[in-house]
Amino acid sequence: MKKLLAMLISVITMLCTSITALSYGWQGSGETGWWYGTNAENTSWCSDGWNWIDDNGDNYAECYYFKNDGYILLDGQAPDGSIVNKSGQWVVDGVVQSIYVGAEQTQQNTAETQAEINETQANNNKTGVSVEDSYIGNRNSKIFHRQGCASVGKMKDSNKVGLSSRDSALSNGYRPCKNCNP
């Protein structure tokens, strides 16, 4: 009887822990679709457009398009013409687009991080570097960076060069940044 009671308590504890652990981050299924909860109470989630999310903790966020109902778009074309792969990640010429969000960033996609990313993209657009450019090169140092690298923020706008791919950067004589390791 004690073993049965102990096993029952273990199962209940595991179920409660599992439910708590899934209260933010990716939720859903292949049948109903996937959404990304942004808080532990599961009262808010990503919806209505693009969101950068570092869902695997590698300090690089990938961009996902969320529909009005909060579900991600999979393997298709977003309203702005951008393409997403079968995992829902934004791709250009088959390459998943990502930005460096830093070691201090958690898996949760916070509003502060989204604002910083949007500001970086807006600044890049002012310099002639487009969102389609996967990397940003420094024409003086001949070093190329991921778009969200801290070194890009220190670079003069006149020195920024948009680069469409890693291969393109290397073939044009650029070397990878040692901080963001593109």
Side-chain angles (χ1 to χ4, degrees):
M1 183 63 135
K2 287 183 182 181
K3 286 183 182 182
L4 182 60
L5 183 59
M7 192 163 71
L8 183 60
I9 290 172
S10 295
V11 169
I12 291 171
T13 303
M14 284 177 23
L15 288 174
C16 291
T17 304
S18 297
I19 292 168
T20 303
L22 294 175
S23 60
Y24 69 90
W26 289 112
Q27 299 178 50
S29 70
E31 292 176 14
T32 60
W34 295 94
W35 69 96
Y36 192 84
T38 59
N39 64 359
E41 295 79 29
N42 199 25
T43 57
S44 71
W45 50 87
C46 298
S47 67
D48 298 320
W50 293 102
N51 285 273
W52 291 95
I53 299 172
D54 177 15
D55 58 355
N56 61 0
D58 66 352
N59 300 324
Y60 290 92
E62 290 75 33
C63 199
Y64 299 86
Y65 185 82
F66 290 83
K67 300 179 277 187
N68 292 341
D69 60 7
Y71 289 98
I72 63 168
L73 176 65
L74 298 172
D75 201 21
Q77 187 172 1
D80 65 2
S82 300
I83 304 297
V84 297
N85 63 15
K86 64 182 179 182
S87 298
Q89 300 163 324
W90 172 35
V91 294
V92 175
D93 296 327
V95 178
V96 173
Q97 302 302 294
S98 63
I99 61 170
Y100 182 71
V101 293
E104 70 283 351
Q105 180 62 35
T106 65
Q107 290 180 344
Q108 196 169 349
N109 183 26
T110 62
E112 294 83 12
T113 301
Q114 187 63 45
E116 289 170 12
I117 291 165
N118 291 342
E119 182 180 340
T120 299
Q121 287 180 331
N123 289 337
N124 289 347
N125 287 338
K126 289 178 191 172
T127 64
V129 175
S130 86
V131 230
E132 286 80 28
D133 293 323
S134 297
Y135 303 99
I136 299 172
N138 183 319
R139 73 177 81 238
N140 286 342
S141 67
K142 297 298 264 184
I143 297 173
F144 72 99
H145 311 265
R146 293 181 188 266
Q147 284 196 15
C149 179
S151 299
V152 171
K154 299 173 186 174
M155 204 183 301
K156 287 184 180 179
D157 288 346
S158 59
N159 291 335
K160 293 180 182 177
V161 177
L163 300 163
S164 61
S165 70
R166 180 181 170 80
D167 290 339
S168 169
L170 294 171
S171 67
N172 284 303
Y174 287 86
R175 63 183 171 84
C177 169
K178 292 182 180 176
N179 293 329
C180 65
N181 195 24

